[in-house]
Amino acid sequence: AIVGSRCVNGVAAMHSHILQTRVFRDFHDLWPRKFSNVTNGVTPRRWVQQANPELATLLTLLLDGEEWKRDLGRLQGLRELADDQRAREQWRQ
């Protein structure tokens, strides 16, 4: 597929690096300009909001705001709620 393709997309920079240095190193040596990384633009935050709006609403409620939509690190705040019975009941619904 690489021989007949115009380009090889690793999607994320990390994946492109693995393809170029390990998986398809010989091909990269022959055609380095074929390899690139172009992300499709879907972020976990956007995906949750679109695929499961109820979960997005619950996260906003449990985490006291929408900051998690800009910073997924804010999801760490859910750990503090692991033993909170009210939060667990809301999660189950």
Side-chain angles (χ1 to χ4, degrees):
I2 293 173
V3 173
S5 297
R6 181 177 58 83
C7 65
V8 177
N9 183 11
V11 180
M14 176 182 71
H15 298 139
S16 293
H17 178 73
I18 291 169
L19 290 176
Q20 294 169 8
T21 60
R22 297 181 191 167
V23 179
F24 299 126
R25 183 178 182 172
D26 293 339
F27 288 111
H28 181 259
D29 289 345
L30 287 171
W31 301 295
R33 292 189 304 191
K34 277 192 178 193
F35 289 79
S36 66
N37 57 285
V38 178
T39 303
N40 63 10
V42 176
T43 66
R45 301 177 300 271
R46 191 176 311 139
W47 184 85
V48 168
Q49 292 175 72
Q50 294 293 316
N52 196 335
E54 292 86 3
L55 176 59
T57 299
L58 179 59
L59 292 173
T60 298
L61 176 70
L62 293 175
L63 298 170
D64 294 323
E66 297 190 346
E67 292 81 19
W68 71 270
K69 293 179 181 179
R70 291 177 289 284
D71 177 8
L72 282 181
R74 299 286 183 137
L75 294 177
Q76 295 288 336
L78 294 172
R79 290 181 178 196
E80 298 170 13
L81 301 173
D83 294 323
D84 183 315
Q85 291 303 319
R86 184 170 162 243
R88 291 172 77 169
E89 184 58 35
Q90 289 175 301
W91 189 271
R92 278 193 216 70
Q93 294 175 9

